[in-house]
Amino acid sequence: MSLSSTSTIKRQISSQLGAKAPAYFEPLASFVTGKISRPEFEDSLKAVLDAPNLIQLHNALIISLFDARSFKRPLTPPPDLPKPPPRKRRRTLPYQGPGDDGSIRSERLKRWTVSVGKHERDWIAALESVQPSTGPRLDTDEIARERGVVLLPERGEPPGSRLAVQLATITRSPNVQHIADRINLICAQNNLGSPSRSVSSLMHLACE
C-alpha cells in the first residue's frame, strides 16, 4: 500500500487536530531542526495524539519526511552528443562494378591508363621488360630459405662419435656430470682442449 504525499498527510492532521494543530507542528519543527531531543518530542505529543488514527497519520508523516524515495530526483537524460563523421569503408575486394571484366582490356583500366600524365607514361614506356625467373626465390620460397643442420667434427672424429648428451627435460635437473658432458662436447666441436672439473662445478653453481 503506497503512502500519501507529505502535504496530503499534513492537511489530514490539521483537519483532525483543529485548534491543537500548532501544538503538534511546533514540536515537530523543533525536532526536525534538532532543537529538541526525541524523548522531549515524544513527551510533547502524548497529549495531542490521543486517537489511534492520529498516531497512524503521525507515523505516515514521519515516514514521508525521512523516506529517501520522496526526495529522489529523476535522472537527467544525457545530452545529445554529436555523431562522429561516417568512416569510409576500406575496400578489401577488387573492383566489381560496371566496365570491369577482370582482364587487361577492361574499360576501367583503359580510362585509368588514359588519365595517367605524359611524364608517367614516358617513364613506364622506358622500363625494360624482365623475363620471369623460373627458379625458387629465396625471399619467398620457404624450402629454399631453410638451411640444413651442419654437424661439426669432434676433435678430428666424425660427428656423433661421442655419446649423446641428455637434455635437462629428461634428466629433470642439470647436475655436474651433465654440465661437464655438454661443455666437453662444445669444446670438442670447436677444437678446444678438455676443460677442468672446476669449470663444470662453477657452471653448476651458476645454474643453481
Side-chain angles (χ1 to χ4, degrees):
M1 179 178 179
S2 60
L3 297 175
S4 303
S5 62
T6 304
S7 58
T8 303
I9 299 174
K10 289 175 66 177
R11 285 196 301 268
Q12 293 176 359
I13 294 176
S14 299
S15 62
Q16 294 194 19
L17 289 177
K20 295 191 295 183
Y24 172 79
F25 287 107
E26 290 178 0
L28 177 62
S30 300
F31 172 68
V32 172
T33 56
K35 296 180 180 179
I36 61 175
S37 62
R38 180 176 178 179
E40 295 174 348
F41 174 62
E42 293 177 350
D43 293 339
S44 61
L45 295 184
K46 287 181 180 179
V48 180
L49 303 177
D50 52 358
N53 59 337
L54 290 175
I55 297 176
Q56 292 179 359
L57 290 174
H58 165 71
N59 294 335
L61 179 62
I62 296 299
I63 293 174
S64 66
L65 288 175
F66 295 98
D67 189 6
R69 293 173 297 178
S70 302
F71 305 97
K72 187 175 182 181
R73 300 177 61 183
L75 297 177
T76 304
D80 296 334
L81 299 177
K83 295 183 179 180
R87 297 178 58 186
K88 186 176 180 181
R89 296 180 60 184
R90 183 179 180 183
R91 182 181 298 168
T92 57
L93 297 176
Y95 179 77
Q96 298 175 352
D100 191 359
D101 55 359
S103 64
I104 61 175
R105 300 183 182 276
S106 64
E107 294 293 333
R108 183 169 178 268
L109 183 58
K110 290 180 181 179
R111 290 195 302 269
W112 178 82
T113 306
V114 173
S115 63
V116 176
K118 183 177 183 303
H119 178 72
E120 286 78 8
R121 291 199 305 269
D122 295 341
W123 179 76
I124 294 174
L127 293 176
E128 297 180 359
S129 60
V130 179
Q131 296 295 332
S133 177
T134 57
R137 294 179 54 183
L138 297 179
D139 56 340
T140 58
D141 193 277
E142 183 178 357
I143 299 178
R145 285 185 298 172
E146 290 185 353
R147 294 179 298 174
V149 178
V150 179
L151 299 178
L152 301 177
E154 302 170 2
R155 291 199 183 96
E157 299 178 358
S161 301
R162 299 175 179 273
L163 295 176
V165 179
Q166 299 293 336
L167 299 177
T169 55
I170 299 175
T171 59
R172 300 297 181 184
S173 62
N175 52 27
V176 178
Q177 183 61 38
H178 296 148
I179 295 176
D181 294 340
R182 174 64 65 180
I183 294 176
N184 191 15
L185 177 60
I186 295 174
C187 292
Q189 291 175 345
N190 292 274
N191 293 326
L192 300 175
S194 299
S196 61
R197 187 71 177 180
S198 59
V199 176
S200 303
S201 301
L202 292 175
M203 186 62 69
H204 184 259
L205 292 175
C207 293
E208 291 181 349

